[in-house]
Amino acid sequence: LKNKRAQIIMMKTVIEQNNRTITSLKNQDFSSAIESSSEALRLCKMLQSSECQGSNSDFLDQCMLHSEVDEETGERPDQPFIYRSAIPLPPSVTNCGMIVSPILIFNAALASQLSADTLQNHICVKHLRRARCLYELAYSTAHDIDHNVLFQFVVLNNIAIIDQKIGDVAMAQACFEHLTSLLVLLIDQGCSERLRHIVGFLGTSLSCTAQMAAAA
Protein backbone atom coordinates (compact mmCIF):
# COMPACT_ATOMS: atom_id res chain seq x y z
CA LEU A 1 0.00 0.00 0.00
CA LYS A 2 2.87 2.35 0.87
CA ASN A 3 4.54 1.58 -2.46
CA LYS A 4 1.29 2.29 -4.29
CA ARG A 5 0.91 5.62 -2.50
CA ALA A 6 4.52 6.52 -3.32
CA GLN A 7 3.94 5.69 -7.00
CA ILE A 8 0.86 7.93 -7.11
CA ILE A 9 2.81 10.80 -5.54
CA MET A 10 5.71 10.31 -7.95
CA MET A 11 3.32 10.19 -10.92
CA LYS A 12 1.83 13.50 -9.80
CA THR A 13 5.36 14.89 -9.80
CA VAL A 14 5.85 13.64 -13.35
CA ILE A 15 2.70 15.48 -14.42
CA GLU A 16 3.86 18.63 -12.60
CA GLN A 17 7.25 18.50 -14.31
CA ASN A 18 5.54 18.02 -17.67
CA ASN A 19 3.31 21.02 -16.96
CA ARG A 20 6.41 23.06 -16.14
CA THR A 21 7.87 22.04 -19.50
CA ILE A 22 4.73 23.27 -21.27
CA THR A 23 4.83 26.60 -19.40
CA SER A 24 8.56 27.06 -20.03
CA LEU A 25 8.16 26.43 -23.75
CA LYS A 26 5.32 28.95 -23.93
CA ASN A 27 7.62 31.48 -22.22
CA GLN A 28 10.53 30.49 -24.51
CA ASP A 29 12.56 29.51 -21.44
CA PHE A 30 14.18 26.58 -23.23
CA SER A 31 16.84 25.73 -20.63
CA SER A 32 14.13 25.32 -17.98
CA ALA A 33 12.05 23.27 -20.43
CA ILE A 34 14.98 20.92 -21.06
CA GLU A 35 15.57 20.59 -17.31
CA SER A 36 11.94 19.84 -16.39
CA SER A 37 11.39 17.47 -19.35
CA SER A 38 14.55 15.55 -18.42
CA GLU A 39 13.40 15.28 -14.82
CA ALA A 40 9.98 14.02 -15.93
CA LEU A 41 11.67 11.34 -18.04
CA ARG A 42 13.96 10.36 -15.16
CA LEU A 43 11.03 9.90 -12.78
CA CYS A 44 9.00 8.09 -15.42
CA LYS A 45 11.83 5.63 -15.95
CA MET A 46 11.78 4.85 -12.21
CA LEU A 47 8.04 4.23 -12.45
CA GLN A 48 8.18 2.42 -15.78
CA SER A 49 5.41 -0.11 -16.24
CA SER A 50 4.60 -2.33 -19.18
CA GLU A 51 0.89 -1.67 -18.65
CA CYS A 52 -0.92 0.12 -21.40
CA GLN A 53 -3.33 2.18 -19.38
CA GLY A 54 -6.54 3.31 -21.00
CA SER A 55 -8.75 1.83 -23.68
CA ASN A 56 -8.42 4.53 -26.35
CA SER A 57 -6.06 3.47 -29.12
CA ASP A 58 -5.72 7.14 -30.16
CA PHE A 59 -4.72 8.27 -26.66
CA LEU A 60 -1.73 10.30 -27.92
CA ASP A 61 -3.84 12.24 -30.40
CA GLN A 62 -6.49 12.87 -27.74
CA CYS A 63 -3.87 14.36 -25.42
CA MET A 64 -2.62 16.57 -28.24
CA LEU A 65 -6.12 17.91 -28.86
CA HIS A 66 -6.02 19.33 -25.32
CA SER A 67 -2.93 21.40 -26.11
CA GLU A 68 -3.20 24.96 -27.40
CA VAL A 69 -3.15 25.52 -31.14
CA ASP A 70 -0.37 27.84 -32.27
CA GLU A 71 -2.57 30.40 -34.03
CA GLU A 72 0.47 32.38 -35.22
CA THR A 73 1.80 29.47 -37.26
CA GLY A 74 -0.43 30.19 -40.22
CA GLU A 75 0.72 33.82 -40.16
CA ARG A 76 4.36 32.83 -40.87
CA PRO A 77 4.16 31.44 -44.44
CA ASP A 78 7.83 32.30 -45.01
CA GLN A 79 8.93 30.12 -42.09
CA PRO A 80 9.06 26.29 -42.06
CA PHE A 81 6.20 24.80 -40.04
CA ILE A 82 7.40 23.48 -36.67
CA TYR A 83 4.90 21.96 -34.29
CA ARG A 84 5.68 23.96 -31.14
CA SER A 85 3.06 22.81 -28.63
CA ALA A 86 4.18 20.49 -25.86
CA ILE A 87 1.71 17.69 -25.12
CA PRO A 88 -0.11 17.72 -21.75
CA LEU A 89 -0.77 14.67 -19.62
CA PRO A 90 -4.28 14.16 -18.21
CA PRO A 91 -4.39 14.37 -14.39
CA SER A 92 -6.03 10.92 -14.32
CA VAL A 93 -2.85 9.14 -15.46
CA THR A 94 -1.54 6.92 -12.67
CA ASN A 95 1.45 5.12 -14.21
CA CYS A 96 4.26 5.62 -16.72
CA GLY A 97 3.25 2.91 -19.14
CA MET A 98 3.59 2.83 -22.91
CA ILE A 99 1.11 5.67 -23.40
CA VAL A 100 2.95 8.19 -21.24
CA SER A 101 6.60 7.77 -22.19
CA PRO A 102 6.21 8.90 -25.85
CA ILE A 103 4.61 12.15 -24.67
CA LEU A 104 7.43 12.94 -22.25
CA ILE A 105 10.05 12.01 -24.85
CA PHE A 106 8.33 14.19 -27.47
CA ASN A 107 8.30 17.18 -25.11
CA ALA A 108 12.00 16.69 -24.34
CA ALA A 109 12.73 16.56 -28.07
CA LEU A 110 10.71 19.72 -28.69
CA ALA A 111 12.58 21.58 -25.95
CA SER A 112 15.93 20.64 -27.54
CA GLN A 113 14.78 21.56 -31.04
CA LEU A 114 13.42 24.98 -30.09
CA SER A 115 16.45 25.77 -27.94
CA ALA A 116 18.76 25.14 -30.91
CA ASP A 117 17.76 28.43 -32.57
CA THR A 118 19.18 30.35 -29.61
CA LEU A 119 22.59 28.62 -29.64
CA GLN A 120 25.90 28.89 -31.50
CA ASN A 121 26.39 26.75 -34.60
CA HIS A 122 28.16 23.66 -33.22
CA ILE A 123 26.01 23.57 -30.07
CA CYS A 124 22.91 24.19 -32.19
CA VAL A 125 23.64 21.10 -34.32
CA LYS A 126 24.23 19.05 -31.15
CA HIS A 127 20.81 20.02 -29.81
CA LEU A 128 19.18 19.32 -33.16
CA ARG A 129 20.71 15.84 -33.33
CA ARG A 130 19.62 15.16 -29.75
CA ALA A 131 16.09 16.29 -30.63
CA ARG A 132 16.05 14.05 -33.69
CA CYS A 133 17.08 10.99 -31.67
CA LEU A 134 14.39 11.73 -29.09
CA TYR A 135 11.71 12.17 -31.78
CA GLU A 136 12.68 8.80 -33.27
CA LEU A 137 12.47 7.24 -29.81
CA ALA A 138 9.06 8.80 -29.19
CA TYR A 139 7.83 7.42 -32.51
CA SER A 140 9.22 3.93 -31.97
CA THR A 141 7.85 3.60 -28.43
CA ALA A 142 4.37 4.94 -29.21
CA HIS A 143 1.58 2.44 -28.64
CA ASP A 144 -0.88 1.99 -31.53
CA ILE A 145 1.03 4.49 -33.66
CA ASP A 146 -1.21 3.82 -36.69
CA HIS A 147 -4.21 5.11 -34.72
CA ASN A 148 -2.39 8.30 -33.70
CA VAL A 149 -2.02 10.02 -37.05
CA LEU A 150 -1.64 13.52 -35.60
CA PHE A 151 1.21 12.36 -33.34
CA GLN A 152 2.84 10.64 -36.32
CA PHE A 153 2.49 13.79 -38.37
CA VAL A 154 4.05 16.25 -35.94
CA VAL A 155 6.96 13.92 -35.07
CA LEU A 156 7.83 13.35 -38.74
CA ASN A 157 7.32 17.02 -39.55
CA ASN A 158 9.72 18.18 -36.85
CA ILE A 159 12.26 15.53 -37.88
CA ALA A 160 12.01 16.79 -41.48
CA ILE A 161 12.74 20.35 -40.35
CA ILE A 162 15.80 19.14 -38.42
CA ASP A 163 17.05 17.14 -41.41
CA GLN A 164 16.62 20.19 -43.60
CA LYS A 165 18.59 22.36 -41.17
CA ILE A 166 21.50 19.95 -40.84
CA GLY A 167 21.67 19.44 -44.61
CA ASP A 168 20.20 15.94 -44.99
CA VAL A 169 17.97 16.90 -47.92
CA ALA A 170 17.14 13.33 -48.99
CA MET A 171 15.82 12.36 -45.54
CA ALA A 172 13.85 15.60 -45.25
CA GLN A 173 12.29 15.02 -48.68
CA ALA A 174 11.30 11.47 -47.73
CA CYS A 175 9.63 12.76 -44.55
CA PHE A 176 7.72 15.47 -46.43
CA GLU A 177 6.45 12.92 -48.95
CA HIS A 178 5.14 10.74 -46.13
CA LEU A 179 3.61 13.79 -44.46
CA THR A 180 1.61 14.47 -47.60
CA SER A 181 0.06 11.00 -47.45
CA LEU A 182 -0.76 11.45 -43.75
CA LEU A 183 -2.35 14.81 -44.52
CA VAL A 184 -4.56 13.22 -47.19
CA LEU A 185 -5.56 10.57 -44.65
CA LEU A 186 -6.59 13.20 -42.10
CA ILE A 187 -8.58 15.09 -44.73
CA ASP A 188 -10.31 11.91 -45.96
CA GLN A 189 -11.25 11.01 -42.39
CA GLY A 190 -12.70 14.48 -41.80
CA CYS A 191 -10.44 15.08 -38.79
CA SER A 192 -11.05 18.83 -38.58
CA GLU A 193 -9.85 19.17 -34.97
CA ARG A 194 -6.59 17.43 -35.75
CA LEU A 195 -6.10 19.51 -38.91
CA ARG A 196 -6.36 22.72 -36.87
CA HIS A 197 -3.14 21.73 -35.11
CA ILE A 198 -1.17 21.45 -38.36
CA VAL A 199 -2.77 24.20 -40.44
CA GLY A 200 0.61 25.92 -40.79
CA PHE A 201 1.96 22.93 -42.71
CA LEU A 202 -0.30 23.71 -45.65
CA GLY A 203 1.18 27.17 -46.01
CA THR A 204 4.82 26.14 -45.86
CA SER A 205 5.08 22.61 -47.27
CA LEU A 206 5.16 23.64 -50.92
CA SER A 207 7.87 26.25 -50.37
CA CYS A 208 9.95 23.79 -48.35
CA THR A 209 9.63 21.15 -51.06
CA ALA A 210 10.65 23.68 -53.72
CA GLN A 211 13.68 24.76 -51.70
CA MET A 212 14.85 21.18 -51.22
CA ALA A 213 14.36 20.37 -54.91
CA ALA A 214 16.51 23.38 -55.79
CA ALA A 215 19.18 22.31 -53.29
CA ALA A 216 19.22 18.79 -54.73
Side-chain angles (χ1 to χ4, degrees), residues 149 153 179-192 194-196 198 201-202:
V149 180
F153 190 100
L179 285 169
T180 302
S181 64
L182 290 177
L183 181 63
V184 171
L185 179 61
L186 287 171
I187 293 172
D188 286 347
Q189 291 179 347
C191 302
S192 57
R194 287 170 170 80
L195 287 169
R196 284 184 65 237
I198 56 172
F201 177 81
L202 297 173

mmCIF file of all heavy atoms in Angstrom, residues 149 153 179-192 194-196 198 201-202:
data_model
loop_
_atom_site.group_PDB
_atom_site.id
_atom_site.type_symbol
_atom_site.label_atom_id
_atom_site.label_comp_id
_atom_site.label_asym_id
_atom_site.label_seq_id
_atom_site.Cartn_x
_atom_site.Cartn_y
_atom_site.Cartn_z
ATOM 1 N N VAL A 149 -2.538 9.413 -35.828
ATOM 2 C CA VAL A 149 -2.023 10.025 -37.054
ATOM 3 C C VAL A 149 -1.475 11.425 -36.786
ATOM 4 O O VAL A 149 -0.455 11.825 -37.366
ATOM 5 C CB VAL A 149 -3.118 10.071 -38.138
ATOM 6 C CG1 VAL A 149 -2.582 10.702 -39.420
ATOM 7 C CG2 VAL A 149 -3.635 8.671 -38.424
ATOM 8 N N PHE A 153 2.259 12.650 -37.481
ATOM 9 C CA PHE A 153 2.486 13.787 -38.371
ATOM 10 C C PHE A 153 3.457 14.784 -37.761
ATOM 11 O O PHE A 153 4.431 15.195 -38.410
ATOM 12 C CB PHE A 153 1.150 14.480 -38.683
ATOM 13 C CG PHE A 153 1.238 15.498 -39.777
ATOM 14 C CD1 PHE A 153 0.835 15.174 -41.057
ATOM 15 C CD2 PHE A 153 1.733 16.775 -39.536
ATOM 16 C CE1 PHE A 153 0.916 16.101 -42.092
ATOM 17 C CE2 PHE A 153 1.831 17.705 -40.557
ATOM 18 C CZ PHE A 153 1.416 17.374 -41.835
ATOM 19 N N LEU A 179 4.530 12.846 -45.099
ATOM 20 C CA LEU A 179 3.612 13.788 -44.457
ATOM 21 C C LEU A 179 2.428 14.107 -45.365
ATOM 22 O O LEU A 179 1.299 14.257 -44.900
ATOM 23 C CB LEU A 179 4.350 15.087 -44.097
ATOM 24 C CG LEU A 179 5.293 15.020 -42.900
ATOM 25 C CD1 LEU A 179 6.147 16.273 -42.822
ATOM 26 C CD2 LEU A 179 4.518 14.823 -41.607
ATOM 27 N N THR A 180 2.689 14.190 -46.648
ATOM 28 C CA THR A 180 1.612 14.473 -47.596
ATOM 29 C C THR A 180 0.562 13.364 -47.571
ATOM 30 O O THR A 180 -0.646 13.636 -47.595
ATOM 31 C CB THR A 180 2.179 14.627 -49.021
ATOM 32 O OG1 THR A 180 3.146 15.671 -49.035
ATOM 33 C CG2 THR A 180 1.071 14.955 -50.006
ATOM 34 N N SER A 181 1.015 12.114 -47.490
ATOM 35 C CA SER A 181 0.063 10.999 -47.454
ATOM 36 C C SER A 181 -0.718 10.996 -46.140
ATOM 37 O O SER A 181 -1.918 10.683 -46.118
ATOM 38 C CB SER A 181 0.797 9.662 -47.640
ATOM 39 O OG SER A 181 1.684 9.411 -46.570
ATOM 40 N N LEU A 182 -0.057 11.366 -45.030
ATOM 41 C CA LEU A 182 -0.762 11.452 -43.746
ATOM 42 C C LEU A 182 -1.782 12.585 -43.767
ATOM 43 O O LEU A 182 -2.878 12.455 -43.208
ATOM 44 C CB LEU A 182 0.236 11.676 -42.603
ATOM 45 C CG LEU A 182 1.148 10.508 -42.240
ATOM 46 C CD1 LEU A 182 2.125 10.919 -41.134
ATOM 47 C CD2 LEU A 182 0.340 9.298 -41.775
ATOM 48 N N LEU A 183 -1.432 13.679 -44.418
ATOM 49 C CA LEU A 183 -2.351 14.808 -44.523
ATOM 50 C C LEU A 183 -3.602 14.416 -45.305
ATOM 51 O O LEU A 183 -4.727 14.747 -44.909
ATOM 52 C CB LEU A 183 -1.647 15.985 -45.209
ATOM 53 C CG LEU A 183 -2.466 17.267 -45.368
ATOM 54 C CD1 LEU A 183 -2.838 17.841 -44.014
ATOM 55 C CD2 LEU A 183 -1.682 18.292 -46.184
ATOM 56 N N VAL A 184 -3.416 13.700 -46.395
ATOM 57 C CA VAL A 184 -4.555 13.221 -47.185
ATOM 58 C C VAL A 184 -5.442 12.317 -46.341
ATOM 59 O O VAL A 184 -6.676 12.392 -46.405
ATOM 60 C CB VAL A 184 -4.064 12.479 -48.447
ATOM 61 C CG1 VAL A 184 -5.231 11.786 -49.153
ATOM 62 C CG2 VAL A 184 -3.368 13.439 -49.399
ATOM 63 N N LEU A 185 -4.804 11.470 -45.523
ATOM 64 C CA LEU A 185 -5.561 10.566 -44.648
ATOM 65 C C LEU A 185 -6.415 11.347 -43.661
ATOM 66 O O LEU A 185 -7.598 11.032 -43.463
ATOM 67 C CB LEU A 185 -4.597 9.646 -43.899
ATOM 68 C CG LEU A 185 -5.218 8.647 -42.911
ATOM 69 C CD1 LEU A 185 -6.155 7.686 -43.623
ATOM 70 C CD2 LEU A 185 -4.120 7.882 -42.167
ATOM 71 N N LEU A 186 -5.843 12.380 -43.051
ATOM 72 C CA LEU A 186 -6.587 13.200 -42.102
ATOM 73 C C LEU A 186 -7.749 13.920 -42.780
ATOM 74 O O LEU A 186 -8.843 14.021 -42.214
ATOM 75 C CB LEU A 186 -5.658 14.222 -41.445
ATOM 76 C CG LEU A 186 -4.669 13.681 -40.412
ATOM 77 C CD1 LEU A 186 -3.671 14.762 -40.012
ATOM 78 C CD2 LEU A 186 -5.395 13.161 -39.175
ATOM 79 N N ILE A 187 -7.521 14.398 -43.987
ATOM 80 C CA ILE A 187 -8.579 15.087 -44.726
ATOM 81 C C ILE A 187 -9.693 14.109 -45.093
ATOM 82 O O ILE A 187 -10.884 14.401 -44.928
ATOM 83 C CB ILE A 187 -8.008 15.762 -45.990
ATOM 84 C CG1 ILE A 187 -7.067 16.901 -45.597
ATOM 85 C CG2 ILE A 187 -9.137 16.282 -46.881
ATOM 86 C CD1 ILE A 187 -6.310 17.515 -46.756
ATOM 87 N N ASP A 188 -9.318 12.920 -45.577
ATOM 88 C CA ASP A 188 -10.310 11.909 -45.964
ATOM 89 C C ASP A 188 -11.155 11.467 -44.776
ATOM 90 O O ASP A 188 -12.339 11.152 -44.917
ATOM 91 C CB ASP A 188 -9.614 10.690 -46.576
ATOM 92 C CG ASP A 188 -9.092 10.966 -47.977
ATOM 93 O OD1 ASP A 188 -9.485 11.995 -48.555
ATOM 94 O OD2 ASP A 188 -8.286 10.153 -48.483
ATOM 95 N N GLN A 189 -10.535 11.429 -43.587
ATOM 96 C CA GLN A 189 -11.249 11.008 -42.389
ATOM 97 C C GLN A 189 -12.068 12.139 -41.767
ATOM 98 O O GLN A 189 -12.785 11.919 -40.802
ATOM 99 C CB GLN A 189 -10.254 10.465 -41.360
ATOM 100 C CG GLN A 189 -9.610 9.147 -41.779
ATOM 101 C CD GLN A 189 -8.606 8.640 -40.760
ATOM 102 O OE1 GLN A 189 -8.198 9.356 -39.842
ATOM 103 N NE2 GLN A 189 -8.197 7.392 -40.915
ATOM 104 N N GLY A 190 -11.940 13.342 -42.319
ATOM 105 C CA GLY A 190 -12.697 14.484 -41.800
ATOM 106 C C GLY A 190 -12.269 14.898 -40.411
ATOM 107 O O GLY A 190 -13.105 15.324 -39.606
ATOM 108 N N CYS A 191 -10.968 14.789 -40.134
ATOM 109 C CA CYS A 191 -10.439 15.083 -38.792
ATOM 110 C C CYS A 191 -10.155 16.579 -38.650
ATOM 111 O O CYS A 191 -8.990 17.004 -38.597
ATOM 112 C CB CYS A 191 -9.171 14.282 -38.525
ATOM 113 S SG CYS A 191 -9.409 12.501 -38.662
ATOM 114 N N SER A 192 -11.215 17.382 -38.584
ATOM 115 C CA SER A 192 -11.048 18.833 -38.578
ATOM 116 C C SER A 192 -10.292 19.332 -37.354
ATOM 117 O O SER A 192 -9.480 20.257 -37.442
ATOM 118 C CB SER A 192 -12.417 19.523 -38.669
ATOM 119 O OG SER A 192 -13.246 19.101 -37.597
ATOM 120 N N ARG A 194 -8.000 17.749 -35.587
ATOM 121 C CA ARG A 194 -6.585 17.428 -35.748
ATOM 122 C C ARG A 194 -5.937 18.345 -36.783
ATOM 123 O O ARG A 194 -4.803 18.800 -36.607
ATOM 124 C CB ARG A 194 -6.420 15.962 -36.148
ATOM 125 C CG ARG A 194 -6.697 14.977 -35.004
ATOM 126 C CD ARG A 194 -6.749 13.549 -35.519
ATOM 127 N NE ARG A 194 -6.773 12.572 -34.449
ATOM 128 C CZ ARG A 194 -7.859 12.243 -33.749
ATOM 129 N NH1 ARG A 194 -9.020 12.854 -34.016
ATOM 130 N NH2 ARG A 194 -7.799 11.335 -32.788
ATOM 131 N N LEU A 195 -6.645 18.652 -37.851
ATOM 132 C CA LEU A 195 -6.104 19.506 -38.910
ATOM 133 C C LEU A 195 -5.825 20.913 -38.401
ATOM 134 O O LEU A 195 -4.897 21.583 -38.892
ATOM 135 C CB LEU A 195 -7.069 19.552 -40.091
ATOM 136 C CG LEU A 195 -7.130 18.276 -40.943
ATOM 137 C CD1 LEU A 195 -8.305 18.331 -41.915
ATOM 138 C CD2 LEU A 195 -5.821 18.073 -41.717
ATOM 139 N N ARG A 196 -6.598 21.385 -37.433
ATOM 140 C CA ARG A 196 -6.362 22.720 -36.866
ATOM 141 C C ARG A 196 -4.967 22.825 -36.269
ATOM 142 O O ARG A 196 -4.362 23.902 -36.257
ATOM 143 C CB ARG A 196 -7.398 23.032 -35.781
ATOM 144 C CG ARG A 196 -8.773 23.400 -36.296
ATOM 145 C CD ARG A 196 -9.694 23.779 -35.153
ATOM 146 N NE ARG A 196 -9.238 24.985 -34.481
ATOM 147 C CZ ARG A 196 -8.958 25.064 -33.166
ATOM 148 N NH1 ARG A 196 -9.037 23.989 -32.405
ATOM 149 N NH2 ARG A 196 -8.591 26.199 -32.632
ATOM 150 N N ILE A 198 -2.253 21.480 -37.368
ATOM 151 C CA ILE A 198 -1.169 21.448 -38.359
ATOM 152 C C ILE A 198 -1.488 22.342 -39.550
ATOM 153 O O ILE A 198 -0.952 22.154 -40.636
ATOM 154 C CB ILE A 198 -0.903 19.999 -38.842
ATOM 155 C CG1 ILE A 198 -2.189 19.369 -39.399
ATOM 156 C CG2 ILE A 198 -0.335 19.157 -37.713
ATOM 157 C CD1 ILE A 198 -1.966 18.014 -40.061
ATOM 158 N N PHE A 201 1.255 23.786 -41.759
ATOM 159 C CA PHE A 201 1.964 22.934 -42.706
ATOM 160 C C PHE A 201 1.521 23.211 -44.130
ATOM 161 O O PHE A 201 2.326 23.192 -45.064
ATOM 162 C CB PHE A 201 1.733 21.463 -42.361
ATOM 163 C CG PHE A 201 2.364 20.500 -43.331
ATOM 164 C CD1 PHE A 201 3.715 20.195 -43.243
ATOM 165 C CD2 PHE A 201 1.625 19.905 -44.341
ATOM 166 C CE1 PHE A 201 4.312 19.320 -44.138
ATOM 167 C CE2 PHE A 201 2.206 19.025 -45.240
ATOM 168 C CZ PHE A 201 3.565 18.732 -45.135
ATOM 169 N N LEU A 202 0.237 23.474 -44.306
ATOM 170 C CA LEU A 202 -0.301 23.711 -45.649
ATOM 171 C C LEU A 202 0.326 24.934 -46.293
ATOM 172 O O LEU A 202 0.567 24.967 -47.494
ATOM 173 C CB LEU A 202 -1.822 23.884 -45.571
ATOM 174 C CG LEU A 202 -2.606 22.673 -45.075
ATOM 175 C CD1 LEU A 202 -4.066 23.042 -44.875
ATOM 176 C CD2 LEU A 202 -2.485 21.531 -46.055
#
